[in-house]
Amino acid sequence: MSHHVSENVLSVKDIEQQPKARGTRFTLNGALWALQALWGFFFAGSGFGKVLMYDDVLFAAAPRAVAWYAAVPQSLIVFIGIVEVLGGVGLILPAMTKVKPMLTPLAAAGLTLTMILAAGFHIIRGEYELVPANLLLGGVAAFITAGRWKLRPVSSAALTTPRVLTAIAVLVALALLTFAPTWYTMTNAQF
């Protein structure tokens, strides 16, 4: 950073800071967008795997891969999956399209609550090794909640064709990068 020093009539040095050159810089808004995308894709994919538990054959085989599934009714696992899919999509689409962007911090708050409840469930079951992941996922979701609620909220705007196309592209990316691989793995893998 370069400084320009000049003296005024009273012999007081006045330091003017020159603006930094444009380049890559870390911003809170950029960090929030990165976390929203990562957590959105993660929760959408993880939730979709739970939604697939509606299939009785998959549900019967699942406890061999995920022990806690045996302690939870099938309908609750599917419900948790729906909540995670909607929460994951809610982290990205409302803010990206600027249509009802306040849904983004609400989705993040819902995912935070889901992870708090999951941590409590695992503590009760003595599955302490799973709690740090719940705390990390919930903590970042809480950070997104605070960031998009007060620190860097996204303002509303009219829905435009480019925003609709962007939303469709995100949904297609979710389908190709998370839903399709999750479906393929769960329907073709032997637990």
Side-chain angles (χ1 to χ4, degrees), residues 2 19 30 43 96 107 129 135 162 167 177:
S2 62
F43 276 109
M96 182 177 284
E129 67 279 1
L135 295 177
L177 298 174

Short mmCIF file of all heavy atoms in Angstrom, two decimals, residues 2 19 30 43 96 107 129 135 162 167 177:
data_model
loop_
_atom_site.label_atom_id
_atom_site.label_comp_id
_atom_site.label_asym_id
_atom_site.label_seq_id
_atom_site.Cartn_x
_atom_site.Cartn_y
_atom_site.Cartn_z
N SER A 2 0.63 2.16 -0.85
CA SER A 2 1.45 3.36 -0.90
C SER A 2 0.79 4.47 -0.09
O SER A 2 -0.43 4.53 0.04
CB SER A 2 1.64 3.81 -2.35
OG SER A 2 0.40 4.13 -2.92
N PRO A 19 -5.93 3.53 -2.55
CA PRO A 19 -6.69 2.27 -2.58
C PRO A 19 -5.84 1.14 -3.13
O PRO A 19 -4.97 1.34 -3.97
CB PRO A 19 -7.86 2.57 -3.51
CG PRO A 19 -7.48 3.79 -4.28
CD PRO A 19 -6.47 4.53 -3.45
N GLY A 30 -18.04 -12.97 0.09
CA GLY A 30 -17.48 -14.08 -0.68
C GLY A 30 -17.41 -15.36 0.14
O GLY A 30 -17.70 -16.44 -0.36
N PHE A 43 -25.74 -30.65 2.06
CA PHE A 43 -27.00 -31.01 2.70
C PHE A 43 -28.01 -31.56 1.68
O PHE A 43 -28.77 -32.48 2.00
CB PHE A 43 -27.60 -29.83 3.46
CG PHE A 43 -27.03 -29.69 4.84
CD1 PHE A 43 -26.18 -28.66 5.16
CD2 PHE A 43 -27.36 -30.60 5.84
CE1 PHE A 43 -25.66 -28.53 6.44
CE2 PHE A 43 -26.84 -30.49 7.12
CZ PHE A 43 -25.99 -29.45 7.42
N MET A 96 -29.53 -16.40 -4.44
CA MET A 96 -29.02 -16.27 -5.80
C MET A 96 -30.03 -15.59 -6.72
O MET A 96 -29.67 -14.74 -7.53
CB MET A 96 -28.64 -17.63 -6.36
CG MET A 96 -28.07 -17.58 -7.75
SD MET A 96 -27.57 -19.21 -8.30
CE MET A 96 -26.06 -19.39 -7.38
N ALA A 107 -33.32 -21.00 6.16
CA ALA A 107 -32.88 -22.35 5.82
C ALA A 107 -31.64 -22.72 6.63
O ALA A 107 -31.54 -23.84 7.16
CB ALA A 107 -32.58 -22.46 4.32
N GLU A 129 -18.30 -40.05 18.53
CA GLU A 129 -17.45 -39.79 17.37
C GLU A 129 -18.20 -39.04 16.26
O GLU A 129 -17.58 -38.43 15.38
CB GLU A 129 -16.86 -41.09 16.83
CG GLU A 129 -17.87 -42.05 16.22
CD GLU A 129 -18.64 -42.92 17.22
OE1 GLU A 129 -18.42 -42.79 18.44
OE2 GLU A 129 -19.47 -43.72 16.76
N LEU A 135 -21.50 -30.70 15.07
CA LEU A 135 -21.17 -29.37 15.57
C LEU A 135 -20.54 -28.50 14.48
O LEU A 135 -20.85 -27.31 14.38
CB LEU A 135 -20.26 -29.46 16.78
CG LEU A 135 -20.88 -30.13 18.02
CD1 LEU A 135 -19.85 -30.23 19.16
CD2 LEU A 135 -22.14 -29.41 18.47
N PRO A 162 -32.48 -14.02 -16.59
CA PRO A 162 -31.16 -14.56 -16.22
C PRO A 162 -31.15 -15.22 -14.84
O PRO A 162 -30.49 -16.23 -14.64
CB PRO A 162 -30.25 -13.33 -16.24
CG PRO A 162 -30.92 -12.37 -17.16
CD PRO A 162 -32.39 -12.61 -17.00
N ALA A 167 -31.02 -20.17 -11.63
CA ALA A 167 -31.64 -21.10 -10.68
C ALA A 167 -31.80 -22.48 -11.30
O ALA A 167 -31.51 -23.49 -10.65
CB ALA A 167 -33.00 -20.55 -10.24
N LEU A 177 -24.63 -33.49 -9.84
CA LEU A 177 -23.47 -33.64 -8.96
C LEU A 177 -23.78 -34.27 -7.61
O LEU A 177 -22.87 -34.78 -6.95
CB LEU A 177 -22.81 -32.27 -8.74
CG LEU A 177 -22.26 -31.60 -10.00
CD1 LEU A 177 -21.77 -30.19 -9.69
CD2 LEU A 177 -21.16 -32.44 -10.61
#
